[in-house]
């Protein structure tokens, strides 16, 4: 975290973290959030929370999420609009998992939102399959861990809130295949979409999460 005495330098920064499921976009969104002091907005976490609470959107989203598909745009866009209206979003935010198709990217434009940078984390599918089987997510606060790369201090217990860190239902291998299919069909066209706007910064996911973290921070500061 950098101290900043000159308030005039502080500016709003809206970022998008793009990448396949299991690319580490959530982990890096969390890092950036901590280092820049702007909130991480994960539509996946918000939707999982809605499912847990049995809200109307949650009920509609549940089976789609479990099958590895995309929740309908009108639901997700509504969820996002509500979230970015929050007071903590006034100095910017990191979108993690939104947009996930071109229609959602256009919806952001229609809302008049300026995106400063889009960081795309590239990881081969094979690697993704390995990573997701070891992923654990906190049922309480949504923090993400990995049994090998980012273990919880105590087995199955979230470091942050003490909640249960468990394997997500949609991280089951059959569902991962569906999610990757969804990603390649619907989400990956966003790479070209943002490349054409001159906003895309590519980062190759490294073996070591700390190395990727540096590359992501470089991409933000470039
Ligand atoms: P991951 O990127 O690891 O697949 P997320 O937590 O970002 O996981 O999303 C989990 C699920 O939530 C997705 O598979 C999808 O069903 C749903 N979801 C999240 N964000 C969106 C979105 N922007 N549009 C549609 N569905 C979404
Ligand atoms: Zn937690």
């Amino acid at each position: 975290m950098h101290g900043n005495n000159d308030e005039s330098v502080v500016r709003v920064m809206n970022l998008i973290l793009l990448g396949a499921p299991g690319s580490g976009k959530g982990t890096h969104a969390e890092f950036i959030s901590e280092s820049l002091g702007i909130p991480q907005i994960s539509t996946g976490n918000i939707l999982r929370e809605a499912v847990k609470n049995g809200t109307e959107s949650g009920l509609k989203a549940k089976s789609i999420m479990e099958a590895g598909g995309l929740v309908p745009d009108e639901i997700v866009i509504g969820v996002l609009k509500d979230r970015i209206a929050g007071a903590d979003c006034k100095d910017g935010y990191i979108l993690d998992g939104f947009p996930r198709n071109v229609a959602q990217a256009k919806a952001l434009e229609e809302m008049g939102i300026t995106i400063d940078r889009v960081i795309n984390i590239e990881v081969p599918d094979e690697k993704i399959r390995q990573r997701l089987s070891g992923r654990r997510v906190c049922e309480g606060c949504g923090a993400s861990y990995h049994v090998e790369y980012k273990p919880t201090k105590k087995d199955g217990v979230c470091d942050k809130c003490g909640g249960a860190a468990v394997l997500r239902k949609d991280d089951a291998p059959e569902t991962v295949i569906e999610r990757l299919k969804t990603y390649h069909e619907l989400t990956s066209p966003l790479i070209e979409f943002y490349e054409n706007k001159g906003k895309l910064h590519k980062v190759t996911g490294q073996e070591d999460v700390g190395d990727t973290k540096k590359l992501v921070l470089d991409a933000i500061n470039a």
Side-chain angles (χ1 to χ4, degrees):
M1 189 121 19
H2 298 287
N4 197 336
N5 297 324
D6 182 357
E7 286 191 15
S8 64
V9 177
V10 176
R11 55 178 289 276
V12 174
M13 178 89 132
N14 295 331
L15 302 168
I16 292 174
L17 259 260
L18 206 61
S23 59
K25 64 177 161 40
T27 302
H28 292 289
E30 213 179 302
F31 282 146
I32 302 167
S33 165
E34 284 159 11
S35 57
L36 300 186
I38 53 178
Q40 167 194 8
I41 299 176
S42 158
T43 42
N45 281 353
I46 299 172
L47 290 168
R48 275 185 288 281
E49 190 66 25
V51 169
K52 197 168 84 185
N53 295 332
T55 66
E56 202 189 325
S57 329
L59 290 174
K60 287 187 190 148
K62 190 171 189 280
S63 57
I64 300 169
M65 290 173 76
E66 285 174 3
L70 290 189
V71 173
D73 291 342
E74 64 272 21
I75 294 180
V76 190
I77 292 167
V79 152
L80 182 90
K81 272 188 180 156
D82 287 350
R83 180 61 188 91
I84 61 179
D88 61 331
C89 290
K90 67 172 188 355
D91 294 328
Y93 40 80
I94 305 142
L95 299 181
D96 159 21
F98 189 100
R100 234 177 174 96
N101 59 26
V102 172
Q104 293 178 11
K106 289 189 172 156
L108 279 178
E109 291 180 340
E110 277 153 26
M111 285 179 233
I113 289 166
T114 307
I115 297 298
D116 297 281
R117 266 154 211 238
V118 179
I119 318 284
N120 185 47
I121 306 184
E122 300 176 321
V123 176
D125 282 12
E126 188 37 47
K127 190 103 235 158
I128 284 170
R129 280 191 280 266
Q130 286 170 18
R131 281 189 186 177
L132 291 181
S133 58
R135 178 156 81 174
R136 299 293 180 268
V137 174
C138 174
E139 287 180 329
C141 73
S144 186
Y145 301 93
H146 191 281
V147 288
E148 209 178 313
Y149 311 117
K150 195 191 172 194
T152 50
K153 292 198 181 84
K154 206 174 148 214
D155 217 22
V157 180
C158 176
D159 295 349
K160 292 193 175 156
C161 78
V166 299
L167 181 73
R168 258 167 55 183
K169 232 181 185 169
D170 62 346
D171 282 344
E174 321 79 79
T175 317
V176 167
I177 292 170
E178 283 314 306
R179 284 160 66 205
L180 282 171
K181 218 191 229 163
T182 304
Y183 168 78
H184 289 295
E185 271 173 35
L186 300 172
T187 309
S188 68
L190 289 173
I191 298 172
E192 202 186 327
F193 181 89
Y194 286 115
E195 203 156 36
N196 290 340
K197 293 180 190 291
K199 301 207 164 159
L200 194 79
H201 294 252
K202 291 182 188 166
V203 168
T204 305
Q206 306 293 307
E207 219 39 66
D208 182 278
V209 69
D211 292 340
T212 312
K213 182 181 173 181
K214 278 186 210 115
L215 295 175
V216 169
L217 290 175
D218 287 348
I220 292 171
N221 293 317

